[in-house]
Amino acid sequence: MTRSRRYTPVAIALHWLIAISLVALIFVGWWMGDAIEKPETRAAAYAAFQLHKAFGVTVLVLTFARLAWRLMNPPPPLTTAMPAWERFAAQATHAAFYTLAIGIPLAGLVYVSTGWIAHDDRPFSVATSYFGLFTIPHLPFIEAMAPEARRALAFMSINAHGKMAWGVLILLALHVGAALKHHFVDKDDVLARMVPVLKLQGEPGEPARDGAAPFLAGVAAVLALGVGTALIGAPEKPFPAAVEAPAPAVAPTPLPDAAPAVAPAAATSAETEKAAAPAAVPAWTVDPGASRIEFEGQHAGKGFKGRFERWSADIRFDPDKLDQSKAVVTIETGSAGTGDSTQTASLKDAEWFGPAKFPTARFETTRITALGGEKYEARGTLTIKGKSYPVVLPFTLEIKGGEAEMRGEVTLDRIALDLGVGSDPTADWVSRSIVVEVRVKAKRAA
């Protein structure tokens, strides 16, 4: 059976998809490095970073698919007129391209898994989302490393990532030059094998028999490039002292937070019932569909809004018995979301809400004071990530018959509450002040 003189349509499609994506990713990566430092382009650069990571993973998957297809569908033979050294160089170049298309995304994944930003030499943990569809997990064995080891690995991986990108461009220039030389000078079928619109014109040729040597040579060259530049990129400066003890930049102070006096829950927990006020004060049942706890702030110079999807409350309130009135709110920290998959996943990191270790935050009132008319003030304690902070929540309350509507707004100082301090201690990325809005509709329990 005669082998085809042209690559299969699948191989051709994968070839061009990977090639175009790699080149585009390299140039976008250079732009991002500059744009991220400018306030006016920071938001666009952040969005580009997320797409850069998603397309990088796509290139990685496509390259493995291309390699598998090549093993199942051997490439067309080279022409018999091609010298042995050219066949060797061509096959070594192909091997190098495969290795780079795998190595560059892997180096990028290692870098983001370190949770360290080499440019500023500090922690910087950001989740990786695949086009908003799902979160790509970071490499767990890297996340488990000591901060010093992750820092060193971050410098080495990002250095290798960049140098291998240069390797792609150099190989690309050689590859394109050789293909054009074969097409216009040698007038053979080398270029036409991968470009269907070109007419095949050379002799059929025969399969190259250079064995594994060209493949191993190409792989070895890329590995030498990656490992060598990674070692060169190892940090020379000592481990930053400011990171040795990642404490909040501001000591805990009496600051308000997102937990007001009510939340959607048809049933109260045993814990909240135990903490509730005397039975003489009527209980209130929250309408989950008409109640919410939302928050908003700035990220990379652009506003964002989010909410807690799951929370519960036990409310005992009587405007004539404020000394006996009380509210206990429990919020599931893992339910926080902003509609942006990357931000939502990042909120689940240990340096933010850390729901794996601290699944809930709790606000419990200690005193409710009437300020006149429908205005009130609730003083209480917010417990978040195992630490408690005094909170003052001003709110308005309108009671008509057996129904009540409450609205409150507080401002959260995330630095004081140790939220995202590791990655953003000076609020360069996420605003220090987070406004939290509470709206609750409830009915007096029978």
Side-chain angles (χ1 to χ4, degrees):
M1 182 176 178
T2 304
R3 289 171 57 186
S4 172
R5 295 165 56 196
R6 207 188 289 277
Y7 281 94
T8 65
V10 172
I12 293 173
L14 289 173
H15 171 87
W16 290 109
L17 275 174
I18 294 170
I20 294 171
S21 297
L22 268 177
V23 174
L25 284 170
I26 291 171
F27 285 100
V28 170
W30 286 339
W31 173 82
M32 293 187 312
D34 294 330
I36 204 72
E37 300 299 322
K38 302 175 182 178
E40 64 273 18
T41 55
R42 178 168 291 180
Y46 170 80
F49 263 113
Q50 309 317 312
L51 291 174
H52 185 84
K53 291 188 289 183
F55 275 109
V57 172
T58 302
V59 166
L60 182 63
V61 173
L62 290 177
T63 302
F64 279 119
R66 173 77 176 90
L67 185 58
W69 185 263
R70 181 186 178 99
L71 293 175
M72 294 185 295
N73 300 269
L78 296 170
T79 63
T80 55
M82 183 180 292
W85 73 267
E86 284 194 16
R87 287 203 307 269
F88 183 93
Q91 293 177 356
T93 299
H94 277 97
F97 269 127
Y98 277 117
T99 309
L100 286 170
I102 294 173
I104 293 176
L106 283 180
L109 182 58
V110 168
Y111 178 64
V112 299
S113 297
T114 63
W116 202 276
I117 184 169
H119 179 74
D120 292 334
D121 196 9
R122 62 179 176 83
F124 192 75
S125 180
V126 178
T128 298
S129 170
Y130 189 75
F131 299 112
L133 300 176
F134 56 86
T135 300
I136 301 172
H138 292 166
L139 302 175
F141 64 92
I142 294 178
E143 291 184 311
M145 290 180 175
E148 295 90 338
R150 287 190 289 107
R151 174 184 180 247
L153 187 58
F155 277 88
M156 290 190 290
S157 58
I158 195 61
N159 194 53
H161 187 72
K163 293 301 186 294
M164 285 191 289
W166 274 108
V168 166
L169 296 181
I170 293 172
L171 280 180
L172 182 63
L174 294 174
H175 185 62
V176 171
L180 294 177
K181 177 258 187 187
H182 278 282
H183 187 71
F184 292 107
V185 178
D186 299 338
K187 299 186 182 303
D188 56 30
D189 293 332
V190 169
L191 183 60
R193 298 187 313 161
M194 189 55 76
V195 181
V197 297
L198 296 179
K199 182 180 179 181
L200 292 170
Q201 53 188 350
E203 58 180 303
E206 60 183 16
R209 303 180 182 278
D210 294 301
F215 179 82
L216 295 177
V219 173
V222 172
L223 290 178
L225 171 67
V227 174
T229 54
L231 294 176
I232 294 173
E236 298 179 357
K237 296 187 296 182
F239 191 72
V243 183
E244 293 177 359
V250 179
T253 54
L255 294 168
D257 186 43
V262 191
T268 59
S269 66
E271 179 184 13
T272 56
E273 288 180 354
K274 184 177 180 181
V281 179
W284 294 80
T285 302
V286 175
D287 178 359
S291 305
R292 61 182 183 269
I293 299 177
E294 299 179 324
F295 53 89
E296 62 180 84
Q298 294 281 320
H299 177 245
K302 184 179 180 181
F304 70 85
K305 292 186 177 182
R307 64 187 297 170
F308 293 97
E309 298 293 343
R310 296 185 300 277
W311 46 284
S312 62
D314 179 51
I315 306 167
R316 309 288 172 134
F317 185 85
D318 188 330
D320 297 323
K321 298 179 181 179
L322 292 181
D323 58 327
Q324 298 180 45
S325 298
K326 192 177 184 68
V328 179
V329 182
T330 302
I331 303 174
E332 294 187 30
T333 55
S335 71
T338 67
D340 181 297
S341 58
T342 302
Q343 293 175 349
T344 298
S346 295
L347 289 175
K348 295 177 174 58
D349 285 350
E351 68 172 329
W352 286 91
F353 289 118
K357 186 176 181 180
F358 304 103
T360 61
R362 176 186 171 94
F363 176 75
E364 181 174 355
T365 63
T366 55
R367 185 177 67 184
I368 300 177
T369 306
L371 302 179
E374 298 177 345
K375 297 181 179 180
Y376 295 84
E377 179 182 87
R379 292 182 177 270
T381 301
L382 169 69
T383 301
I384 184 169
K385 296 173 71 173
K387 297 180 181 179
S388 297
Y389 307 85
V391 172
V392 178
L393 171 65
F395 66 94
T396 60
L397 179 64
E398 182 181 0
I399 300 177
K400 292 183 179 180
E403 297 185 353
E405 182 173 357
M406 172 266 191
R407 292 174 180 245
E409 185 176 291
V410 292
T411 300
L412 162 70
D413 184 333
R414 68 169 185 84
I415 300 297
L417 299 180
D418 191 18
L419 296 174
V421 173
S423 292
D424 193 20
T426 55
D428 293 329
W429 283 90
V430 181
S431 56
R432 178 168 180 163
S433 295
I434 305 296
V435 177
V436 181
E437 183 181 4
V438 185
R439 292 190 179 186
V440 175
K441 286 189 176 182
K443 291 184 178 181
R444 189 194 304 267

